[in-house]
Amino acid sequence: MKRKFRLSTALDVDDLLLECIPYAVRLANEKYKFDPPLTIYEVDRWGKLGTRADVIFEFFSDPEFYRNQPVLKGAREFVQKLTRMTEVFVSTSIPPEFMGIRARQITEAFPEIPVDHIYMGSRKDKIQADILFDDGMHNVLNSSADYPVLMRRPWNQQASGMLAVNTYDEFLKVVEVIAESYSTHEVQHTLKEPGIVVLVGPSGSGKTTIAGQLLEQDDSFRKLVSYTTKDHTAKAQNLWYNYVSLKEFHRMCETGEMFQSTMYAGHGYGSRKADVEEILARGKHVLTTMDICGAMSLKTNFQNVITIYLKREKKTLMTRILSKNTSVEDKVNRLMAMDAEKQNITLCDYAVEYKTLDQAFDQIADILNGLSK
C-alpha cells in the first residue's frame, strides 16, 4: 500500500554526525605521547576494555571536549540530502550537564533539523521512527524502529545479520530502497544486459552452496571473488575469497579499491570495484553472496543490481549456526541477529522461501530465466 506520509529518521550524533572516539583518541595521543600511537582500531568494543584505550573515557567528563567536537566530513551535506527525503530527528545520549552544549552544536551545524526534533537520553528504544541510524550495536538491536541501521565502526565489528552501512551514501541508498518498498510503482529488472545478482540471507541459509550450483549450470555468470584477512589455511582459502594481510586490507580500503568492506570478529572482508567491472566488461553477469550491507553497497556503486533474499525456517538456521566451528561468542551474535535479519527481506527485490537447497535453486533459476527473456 502506498504510504501517504513521509518516512521519519532518527539520527545518532556521536561518531555519526560529530567525531567522538577518533577525537578522543587524538587528544589521548597528544596528552600521553603513546608509542606506538593509540588508534581507533584498539577500541573494538564499546565500554572500558582494560587496555590503554580506556584513557579516552577521561575526556567524556570534560565540557571542553563536547564544545570542540568536530563535525564529521560530509555530515552537513548528508543531513541536507536526508531532510529532502525524510523527516529527520536527532536521538543522542549525553550526560545531563552537557545537554545544552550538545543542543547548540546540533542547531548550529545542522540548521535543517528543528529544535523540537532533538531528543536526548539513553533510551533510544523508546524513539518512534521508521528508521534509526546509529553506530551503537545495542541501540540497533533494541530499537523499536521499523528499520534500524548500523553505521559500521571498529567498536561494532562483531555485529552480524543486522542492516549496516559503511558510508552516508550507502545509508541514503537504503532510505531510497525503503521508500520504494512503500510505493505502488514496480521497479523493472532485467538481465538482458550484463548485471549483478546478489544472494542475501542469514547465516545458515546456504547462500554459498546455492551460488556454486548456479555457477555450475549457467555459464553467463561469473563469481565475484572477495578478500578476507581470515585464516588462509587450505580449509579457509575457498573459491569465494582471496587472502590478504591486515595491512594490505587496510591499504585497499584507504585507497578506495574496495567499494565495500567490513570487519567481523577481528577479520576484514571486502570486495574490489575493479573485479566487478572486469566481469561486466566481459559481457558476463556477476554473481555474489553478501549480507544486506554488501548488497546496499553494490546498489550504491553499480546499476542493474538484483537482490534475492533466501528465507529458510528458523529451526534449520539455528541448527546450522550451532554446528559451525566458531566461537561461542560468534554463535551468540549470529543467533541474536536472526530476528533483525528478517527485516532485510523487504529491502530485497525478490525472496524465495524453501525447506531444501534444491527448492531454493529451482526458484532462483526461474527468477533469473524470467529476467533474461
Side-chain angles (χ1 to χ4, degrees), residues 163-176:
L163 181 55
V165 298
N166 296 295
T167 66
Y168 291 139
D169 284 344
E170 287 179 17
F171 178 75
L172 293 173
K173 174 56 71 172
V174 168
V175 173
E176 182 181 312

Side-chain angles (χ1 to χ4, degrees), residues 312-319 335 338-339 342:
R312 205 170 189 183
E313 65 178 357
K314 191 172 184 178
K315 182 179 179 180
T316 301
L317 296 176
M318 293 178 70
T319 300
L335 290 169
M338 284 181 61
D339 289 335
K342 289 189 296 186

Side-chain angles (χ1 to χ4, degrees), residues 203-310:
S203 180
S205 59
K207 298 187 294 290
T208 303
T209 302
I210 295 168
Q213 193 173 354
L214 287 169
L215 288 167
E216 287 179 5
Q217 300 195 23
D218 192 334
D219 187 57
S220 67
F221 285 94
R222 292 293 182 271
K223 67 187 172 194
L224 175 63
V225 179
S226 299
Y227 299 82
T228 182
T229 64
K230 192 176 182 180
D231 242 350
H232 59 297
T233 60
K235 183 177 180 180
Q237 179 67 2
N238 60 47
L239 298 176
W240 290 92
Y241 286 101
N242 285 326
Y243 170 80
V244 294
S245 67
L246 185 59
K247 181 179 179 180
E248 176 65 6
F249 183 82
H250 285 315
R251 185 200 66 78
M252 295 169 76
C253 293
E254 291 166 2
T255 58
E257 289 183 52
M258 299 279 199
F259 71 85
Q260 70 92 17
S261 63
T262 190
M263 295 291 296
Y264 176 71
H267 304 297
Y269 298 86
S271 304
R272 293 174 67 239
K273 191 170 185 177
D275 294 337
V276 177
E277 293 171 339
E278 180 184 357
I279 295 172
L280 296 174
R282 286 184 291 164
K284 299 294 185 178
H285 304 306
V286 176
L287 179 65
T288 184
T289 64
M290 290 184 173
D291 61 10
I292 195 66
C293 174
M296 291 300 107
S297 295
L298 275 169
K299 282 185 174 285
T300 303
N301 287 276
F302 297 95
Q303 301 294 318
N304 199 22
V305 178
I306 298 162
T307 53
I308 302 176
Y309 187 87
L310 306 182

Side-chain angles (χ1 to χ4, degrees), residues 182-202:
Y182 287 104
S183 174
T184 56
H185 174 68
E186 185 174 344
V187 179
Q188 298 297 317
H189 300 286
T190 179
L191 285 178
K192 293 179 180 178
E193 300 294 332
I196 303 169
V197 174
V198 192
L199 302 186
V200 179

Side-chain angles (χ1 to χ4, degrees), residues 8-257:
S8 59
T9 303
L11 298 177
D12 181 32
V13 174
D14 287 318
D15 289 319
L16 194 81
L17 301 178
L18 302 178
E19 265 195 281
C20 182
I21 290 180
Y23 179 45
V25 166
R26 289 201 303 275
L27 293 177
N29 281 323
E30 292 172 5
K31 181 175 180 178
Y32 294 103
K33 312 297 182 186
F34 286 120
D35 184 21
L38 182 66
T39 74
I40 62 170
Y41 297 104
E42 294 177 57
V43 188
D44 59 2
R45 296 285 193 281
W46 180 247
K48 292 191 175 181
L49 306 169
T51 68
R52 66 177 187 163
D54 288 350
V55 299
I56 66 172
F57 283 87
E58 71 180 63
F59 300 105
F60 300 157
S61 59
D62 183 357
E64 289 305 307
F65 175 84
Y66 296 99
R67 289 193 183 97
N68 297 315
Q69 277 183 272
V71 177
L72 282 167
K73 182 180 179 181
R76 288 188 174 93
E77 295 79 7
F78 162 67
V79 169
Q80 289 168 3
K81 291 178 182 177
L82 185 62
T83 53
R84 292 195 290 268
M85 301 171 70
T86 75
E87 190 174 16
V88 177
F89 297 82
V90 164
S91 175
T92 179
S93 178
I94 189 168
E97 62 268 31
F98 305 131
M99 287 181 174
I101 298 173
R102 176 57 53 85
R104 284 192 293 273
Q105 287 175 308
I106 296 169
T107 54
E108 290 174 4
F110 309 102
E112 301 84 5
I113 302 175
V115 175
D116 59 359
H117 282 204
I118 301 173
Y119 293 87
M120 298 189 186
S122 60
R123 290 296 305 274
K124 297 189 179 185
D125 57 309
K126 298 298 183 181
I127 299 296
Q128 298 297 316
D130 296 303
I131 306 167
L132 173 75
F133 193 20
D134 203 299
D135 69 306
M137 188 174 70
H138 58 291
N139 290 326
V140 172
L141 283 173
N142 297 327
S143 175
S144 59
D146 291 333
Y147 297 94
V149 183
L150 183 74
M151 174 63 105
R152 285 287 188 189
R153 300 296 188 200
W155 44 91
N156 59 43
Q157 63 177 341
Q158 70 270 34
S160 174
M162 64 187 65
L163 181 55
V165 298
N166 296 295
T167 66
Y168 291 139
D169 284 344
E170 287 179 17
F171 178 75
L172 293 173
K173 174 56 71 172
V174 168
V175 173
E176 182 181 312
V177 172
I178 292 172
E180 286 177 355
S181 72
Y182 287 104
S183 174
T184 56
H185 174 68
E186 185 174 344
V187 179
Q188 298 297 317
H189 300 286
T190 179
L191 285 178
K192 293 179 180 178
E193 300 294 332
I196 303 169
V197 174
V198 192
L199 302 186
V200 179
S203 180
S205 59
K207 298 187 294 290
T208 303
T209 302
I210 295 168
Q213 193 173 354
L214 287 169
L215 288 167
E216 287 179 5
Q217 300 195 23
D218 192 334
D219 187 57
S220 67
F221 285 94
R222 292 293 182 271
K223 67 187 172 194
L224 175 63
V225 179
S226 299
Y227 299 82
T228 182
T229 64
K230 192 176 182 180
D231 242 350
H232 59 297
T233 60
K235 183 177 180 180
Q237 179 67 2
N238 60 47
L239 298 176
W240 290 92
Y241 286 101
N242 285 326
Y243 170 80
V244 294
S245 67
L246 185 59
K247 181 179 179 180
E248 176 65 6
F249 183 82
H250 285 315
R251 185 200 66 78
M252 295 169 76
C253 293
E254 291 166 2
T255 58
E257 289 183 52

